[in-house]
Amino acid sequence: MATESGSKQPDTAEHGVVVKIRGGVVDVYFATGRQPAVGELLYAGDIALQTMALLAGQRVRCIALASVAGLGLGARVLATGGPIMVPVGEAVLGRMLNVLGEPIDGKPAPATSLRAPIYRNAPALHERSSSGQVLETGIKALDLLAPIERGGKTGLFGGAGVGKTVLITELINNTVQHYQGVSLFCGIGERSREAEELYREMGEAGVRDKTVMLFGQMNEAPGVRFLVGHTALTMAEHFRDELQQDVLLLMDNLFRFVQAGAEVSGLLGRMPSRVGYQPTLATELAGLQERISSRGNVAITSIQAVYVPADDFTDPAAAHIFSHLSASVVLSRKRASEGLYPAIDPLASTSVMLTPAVVGQRHYDVALAVKRTLAEYEELRDIIAMLGLEELSAADRAVVARARRLERYLTQPFHTTEIFSGIGGQRVSVAQTLDDCEWILSQSEFADNEADYYMLGSLAQAQESSHAAR
């Protein structure tokens, strides 16, 4: 519940002194009065601290939310008496803010007295609702093979350089312009360059006034990267619960949240767990993910980019994130190396929405047929490499012809890459994708060239380019 608050340092603040500094962790001693609670916001001058643990002898251990350069032992610390409170409501729309809700876009602070704590409990099970609706994105491979659930959580998994950020930027472009609710982008541990580009692109697309952007960037303290996701969820929950608006929450990159948690855990002196991750990994992820849900007729729909270390999907971070998702979109380095963008792996990507009861029998049948054809082609690849295509039966050659055209048809030029590729972006409806895939699957021989299917919107474009070539 949002509250009205104007001052971040109340008159009733308790006073302490810094007694130990280790990296981004600061120990504070309170000689008299109340010992601050876990999660409470403290200030050492202009440096914000959050209490993480209570120690013996009236001491508390805190993480710094800024660089501790210049902070010395004996520095005076003020306890605010409450958790981090961030501005919420319509005043934050169109703004770029940090973990404390302070502006980083060079403009004045959001003109609102409404503030809410960054930590809240997830809705109880009886308060949640499941609409069973699909959010159409206009991206062929995504809508066909791994449809996104309205009010659900979708993960975009991939290693470095396979196109996670490009895909999430295109999702912003395609969904924000056709989306009736509010959009919220949360950058966790991302580059400053990407933040500036996104802010500019939102303005050029004319959707910035319906979007909130929050950043805890790569060069900031681990405490900032660890908490900025909670700040984003607090703002999203206010739009959902108080203003009754749908929220599209985009997070890039959730692995950086896990990584920041591991850094904080190490600084706090906790014993590391599997592969060096923090022992509280599952709890921290659940505390963030379970707040993303539908309530009544309004929903928070989340799309999260997830870096996979060394392309190892058994990594504990990736494995724990998988368990929270309704759709998992896997980006393949092999497909990226072949120039098949978006590099979505059609056989590894899944969605709980891909059932006849949700998407309809026709969509379900076409998606299964596409996956089956591509799976058969994968099995034939070794034979083709050793013996050649000519040694296959006529039926197998027809499967290969269909599969290679489907692979190329599922590529798509993006609006966000027009400046690099010179190809105009395309948004394709689900109905058009189903029609085109059905036609490809129904053919046993093709008179056209498979290259005509590469980087286009609908099949009508392929036919036009084929006629033009003739």
Side-chain angles (χ1 to χ4, degrees):
M1 211 51 178
T3 60
E4 294 204 7
S5 173
S7 171
K8 66 183 182 182
Q9 293 187 12
D11 295 335
T12 57
E14 301 288 340
H15 299 279
V17 292
V18 174
V19 293
K20 187 176 182 182
I21 303 171
R22 188 177 70 253
V25 170
V26 179
D27 286 2
V28 183
Y29 170 62
F30 287 82
T32 59
R34 181 187 61 85
Q35 187 179 25
V38 171
E40 188 168 330
L41 177 64
L42 316 178
Y43 276 95
D46 291 331
I47 300 172
L49 311 170
Q50 182 184 268
T51 305
M52 296 298 290
L54 306 181
L55 308 177
Q58 288 293 100
R59 290 191 305 150
V60 294
R61 182 156 289 165
C62 312
I63 55 169
L65 304 183
S67 170
V68 294
L71 183 65
L73 299 181
R76 192 181 186 208
V77 178
L78 283 82
T80 62
I84 297 172
M85 304 285 285
V86 295
V88 292
E90 294 184 348
V92 299
L93 290 173
R95 302 303 306 273
M96 186 188 285
L97 308 170
N98 65 11
V99 66
L100 300 173
E102 298 167 345
I104 53 174
D105 52 11
K107 298 178 182 177
T112 179
S113 58
L114 283 175
R115 303 180 83 84
I118 66 166
Y119 291 116
R120 289 179 64 183
N121 292 327
L125 286 176
H126 70 274
E127 296 176 333
R128 300 180 184 226
S129 60
S130 178
S131 62
Q133 296 177 345
V134 171
L135 182 69
E136 189 172 326
T137 66
I139 298 173
K140 294 180 289 189
L142 210 55
D143 288 340
L144 176 68
L145 303 171
I148 292 174
E149 179 189 7
R150 176 182 172 269
K153 298 180 274 284
T154 299
L156 309 179
F157 291 84
V162 294
K164 294 183 301 299
T165 299
V166 171
L167 184 54
I168 207 166
T169 308
E170 184 69 7
L171 282 165
I172 293 170
N173 181 82
N174 284 11
T175 52
V176 167
Q177 296 193 28
H178 300 83
Y179 194 66
Q180 299 305 310
V182 169
S183 301
L184 201 154
F185 180 87
C186 179
I188 306 175
E190 289 303 293
R191 302 166 185 85
S192 303
R193 168 184 58 80
E194 293 173 341
E196 188 277 330
E197 286 175 359
L198 181 65
Y199 184 77
R200 183 163 29 84
E201 287 167 6
M202 290 288 200
E204 291 170 359
V207 296
R208 191 190 292 159
D209 60 343
K210 289 177 60 182
T211 308
V212 188
M213 281 165 276
L214 286 154
F215 289 96
Q217 293 169 152
M218 189 178 281
N219 62 328
E220 296 193 74
V224 171
R225 291 178 269 125
F226 184 60
L227 297 179
V228 71
H230 291 282
T231 299
L233 273 166
T234 292
M235 294 182 181
E237 286 166 340
H238 182 84
F239 283 111
R240 180 194 64 190
D241 299 337
E242 308 301 326
L243 302 179
Q244 294 294 296
Q245 289 181 284
D246 278 357
V247 181
L248 180 64
L249 174 62
L250 302 121
M251 303 177 81
D252 187 9
N253 187 306
L254 196 62
F255 176 75
R256 304 298 176 200
F257 166 78
V258 174
Q259 197 175 44
E263 291 180 54
V264 168
S265 180
L267 289 169
L268 292 174
R270 296 176 185 148
M271 186 71 71
S273 184
R274 285 178 57 204
V275 200
Y277 286 111
Q278 62 271 41
T280 51
L281 170 62
T283 309
E284 289 168 1
L285 267 175
L288 187 74
Q289 296 280 10
E290 290 306 303
R291 292 172 66 181
I292 303 170
S293 63
S294 300
R295 207 171 194 172
N297 296 321
V298 286
I300 299 175
T301 304
S302 176
I303 301 170
Q304 309 162 5
V306 184
Y307 167 70
V308 180
D311 293 337
D312 178 13
F313 286 88
T314 64
D315 186 271
H320 277 90
I321 294 168
F322 266 121
S323 63
H324 290 280
L325 305 174
S326 55
S328 301
V329 179
V330 177
L331 300 178
S332 160
R333 189 171 301 282
K334 179 173 174 290
R335 290 179 68 82
S337 67
E338 294 172 356
L340 300 174
Y341 289 103
I344 295 172
D345 188 330
L347 303 179
S349 301
T350 59
S351 171
V352 298
M353 294 284 100
L354 194 59
T355 64
V358 177
V359 297
Q361 191 65 48
R362 181 189 176 217
H363 185 153
Y364 179 72
D365 290 342
V366 171
L368 279 193
V370 167
K371 287 192 173 191
R372 190 182 307 114
T373 303
L374 294 173
E376 289 174 9
Y377 176 45
E378 283 298 316
E379 292 175 358
L380 293 169
R381 276 179 183 265
D382 290 341
I383 297 174
I384 295 169
M386 288 186 292
L387 304 177
L389 189 63
E390 297 75 16
E391 297 300 316
L392 298 179
S393 66
D396 284 345
R397 284 201 298 272
V399 167
V400 171
R402 287 194 290 269
R404 289 180 67 84
R405 281 163 176 80
L406 283 169
E407 276 189 335
R408 282 149 185 78
Y409 173 74
L410 291 176
T411 62
Q412 189 168 343
F414 283 172
H415 294 88
T416 52
T417 57
E418 282 182 25
I419 190 171
F420 308 111
S421 66
I423 306 172
Q426 298 287 332
R427 191 180 196 277
V428 185
S429 68
V430 176
Q432 183 66 60
T433 303
L434 294 177
D435 288 343
D436 292 346
C437 288
E438 274 187 333
W439 184 85
I440 295 171
L441 290 165
S442 67
Q443 303 300 303
S444 55
E445 293 184 3
F446 295 89
D448 52 23
N449 193 318
E450 64 187 36
D452 295 338
Y453 294 72
Y454 181 69
M455 281 295 165
L456 49 80
S458 65
L459 270 187
Q461 288 181 281
Q463 291 159 0
E464 286 169 12
S465 64
S466 180
H467 288 318
R470 290 173 193 164

